């Protein structure tokens, strides 16, 4: 306990330096960084993740590592806009999880919410278990229940897992990068207006819970021709149960691209759905590029699926041109 107290005081001293002057930029990678340990057994500074977030000073500009020891942390966590420069790290997504069960207002149901820029997570699972015990086919009882939500720019994830049933990952706004992550759900389980790149991720469509109805992987919400948002899935894997559409249009200019991705037979032959924009599909940008697997057969796809030019594909499927234009990924700690 004494050592934990001393460590807390050291961390507080480091973090207090960031109160003097705030910059939109975080300190260089691991230089001048601070570490906070969260451990349910009491061998860290805190036993709850939210306690660690609350401990970080407002307008923080020092990269702060929150190391979460193995366990299931049953709590709802919010990172407010004035607390940037955080790295959240678990032991692995198999043994370290933040879990809650809520289906209140859609954007308020999230187990974990990030509203601060320059946030990085790795080796941790985010779960919303609200719909966990839904009987197969009892669609009316399934509610929006978010595992994770972000409205911030420059947010990245490595070897993380996101599990839920409906609206699992609320990728709402800002530039985001996902690498080697696992994302599970049945209905619109990756949704919002984010500008995001999914690299080497596993997408598990657990649509069997819908009792014969097809689910939807994405519901992307691009609003206009000048809106730069969209979801790109590069070298990913789509598996699951039941059947699933690759996406449906959450907004008029919805944009989703699957590139060099393995599509299993869970993908419905039509591939895509215009939702409420029937007759206005010309503004929707849904495309596939060099995908493989039984679900990649495009012979029965919707007629309005886009064939992108080589230049368009080159821009969208390159992480550095689509989301990392200013090199923010390289500026985050390893």
């Amino acid at each position: 306990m004494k050592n934990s107290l001393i460590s807390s005081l050291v961390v507080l001293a480091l973090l207090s330096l960031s109160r003097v002057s705030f910059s939109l930029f975080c300190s260089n990678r691991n230089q001048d960084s601070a570490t906070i340990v969260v451990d349910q057994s009491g061998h860290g500074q805190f036993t709850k993740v939210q306690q660690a977030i609350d401990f970080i000073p407002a307008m923080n500009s020092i990269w702060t590592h929150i190391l979460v020891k193995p366990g299931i942390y049953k709590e709802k966590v919010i990172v407010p806009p004035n607390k940037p420069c955080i790295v959240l790290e678990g032991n692995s997504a198999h043994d370290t999880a933040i879990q809650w069960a809520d289906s209140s207002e859609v954007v308020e149901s999230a187990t974990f919410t990030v509203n601060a820029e320059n946030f990085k997570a790795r080796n941790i699972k985010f779960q919303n278990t609200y719909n966990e015990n839904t009987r197969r086919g009892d669609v009316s009882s399934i509610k929006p229940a978010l595992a994770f939500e972000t409205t911030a720019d420059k947010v990245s994830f490595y070897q993380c897992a996101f599990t839920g049933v409906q609206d699992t990952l609320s990728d709402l706004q800002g530039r985001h990068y996902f690498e080697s992550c696992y994302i599970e759900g049945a209905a619109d389980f990756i949704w919002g207006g984010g500008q995001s790149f999914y690299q080497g991720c596993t997408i598990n469509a657990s649509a069997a819970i819908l009792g014969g109805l097809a689910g939807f992987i994405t519901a992307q919400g691009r609003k206009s021709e000048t809106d730069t948002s969209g979801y790109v899935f590069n070298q990913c894997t789509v598996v699951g149960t039941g059947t699933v559409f690759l996406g449906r249009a959450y907004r008029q200019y919805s944009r989703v691209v699957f590139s060099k991705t393995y599509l299993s037979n869970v993908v419905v032959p039509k591939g895509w759905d215009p939702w409420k924009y029937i007759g206005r599909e010309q503004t929707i940008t849904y495309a596939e590029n060099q995908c493989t697997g039984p679900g990649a057969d495009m012979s029965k796809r919707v007629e309005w699926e886009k064939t992108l030019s080589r230049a368009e594909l080159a821009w969208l499927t390159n992480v550095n041109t689509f989301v990392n234009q200013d090199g923010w990924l390289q500026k985050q700690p390893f």
Side-chain angles (χ1 to χ4, degrees):
M1 180 64 71
K2 183 178 179 181
N3 289 337
S4 294
L5 177 60
I6 293 173
S7 297
S8 295
L9 292 173
V10 171
V11 170
L12 180 59
L14 277 170
L15 292 175
S16 65
L17 296 174
S18 66
R19 297 179 189 269
V20 177
S21 61
F22 175 69
S23 170
L24 289 177
F25 301 99
C26 302
S27 58
N28 293 330
R29 293 186 177 178
N30 294 309
Q31 296 177 12
D32 302 320
S33 64
T35 300
I36 301 171
V37 177
V38 178
D39 190 341
Q40 290 179 327
S41 68
H43 292 90
Q45 282 83 38
F46 301 102
T47 58
K48 295 285 188 180
V49 176
Q50 187 65 61
Q51 292 172 340
I53 300 294
D54 295 342
F55 182 70
I56 297 172
M59 314 311 279
N60 172 54
S61 62
I62 293 176
W63 276 112
T64 304
H65 293 247
I66 299 176
L67 300 180
V68 185
K69 296 297 184 177
I72 298 176
Y73 295 79
K74 294 187 177 182
E75 56 177 313
K76 180 176 284 194
V77 180
I78 298 176
V79 180
N82 63 352
K83 296 199 175 184
C85 313
I86 291 175
V87 177
L88 181 76
E89 183 174 4
N91 185 64
S92 81
H94 299 290
D95 62 17
T96 311
I98 301 173
Q99 182 188 100
W100 199 247
D102 192 4
S103 72
S104 56
E105 294 297 324
V106 177
V107 296
E108 296 176 3
S109 70
T111 298
F112 202 107
T113 301
V114 172
N115 295 322
E117 68 175 38
N118 264 316
F119 176 91
K120 179 177 183 177
R122 60 189 173 206
N123 300 327
I124 197 162
K125 179 188 288 186
F126 305 96
Q127 294 178 288
N128 192 320
T129 60
Y130 179 84
N131 295 304
E132 193 173 77
N133 297 317
T134 300
R135 291 180 302 168
R136 181 169 176 166
D138 187 10
V139 179
S140 63
S141 67
I142 296 175
K143 306 296 181 185
L146 284 55
F148 196 98
E149 174 186 327
T150 180
T151 63
D153 193 36
K154 295 183 285 188
V155 177
S156 65
F157 307 87
Y158 300 82
Q159 295 85 46
C160 290
F162 308 82
T163 63
V165 175
Q166 182 172 338
D167 297 349
T168 303
L169 176 55
S170 181
D171 188 348
L172 281 184
Q173 181 179 329
R175 293 171 297 166
H176 313 136
Y177 179 71
F178 300 79
E179 183 175 304
S180 302
C181 291
Y182 173 88
I183 307 164
E184 178 185 304
D188 302 337
F189 61 97
I190 304 174
W191 73 283
Q195 182 171 340
S196 302
F197 200 93
Y198 295 80
Q199 175 65 41
C201 295
T202 297
I203 313 299
N204 185 8
S206 55
I209 196 173
L210 303 178
L213 295 176
F216 301 90
I217 295 174
T218 65
Q220 203 280 329
R222 184 168 173 250
K223 297 178 181 179
S224 69
E225 288 185 356
T226 58
D227 185 344
T228 59
S229 74
Y231 298 157
V232 175
F233 297 86
N234 190 57
Q235 298 178 332
C236 295
T237 300
V238 174
V239 294
T241 60
T243 57
V244 68
F245 286 86
L246 295 173
R248 62 175 170 179
Y250 179 54
R251 292 285 187 264
Q252 178 75 64
Y253 292 82
S254 183
R255 178 164 60 186
V256 180
V257 176
F258 282 84
S259 180
K260 299 179 181 177
T261 289
Y262 176 84
L263 304 178
S264 73
N265 59 5
V266 300
V267 178
V268 299
K270 289 176 63 177
W272 309 92
D273 189 283
W275 203 7
K276 54 188 176 182
Y277 298 106
I278 295 175
R280 291 178 283 172
E281 296 92 345
Q282 70 279 2
T283 62
I284 299 170
T285 301
Y286 288 156
E288 298 167 64
N289 172 56
Q290 299 182 43
C291 292
T292 60
D297 180 1
M298 298 180 64
S299 63
K300 296 182 180 179
R301 288 292 196 260
V302 293
E303 294 181 355
W304 46 269
E305 180 173 10
K306 293 289 192 299
T307 300
L308 301 178
S309 68
R310 183 176 298 180
E312 288 173 316
L313 278 172
W315 182 75
L316 287 165
T317 60
N318 185 329
V319 64
N320 290 319
T321 54
F322 188 55
V323 298
N324 190 41
Q325 307 91 332
D326 51 357
W328 63 272
L329 283 170
Q330 288 75 23
K331 296 172 185 176
Q332 292 188 335
F334 296 117

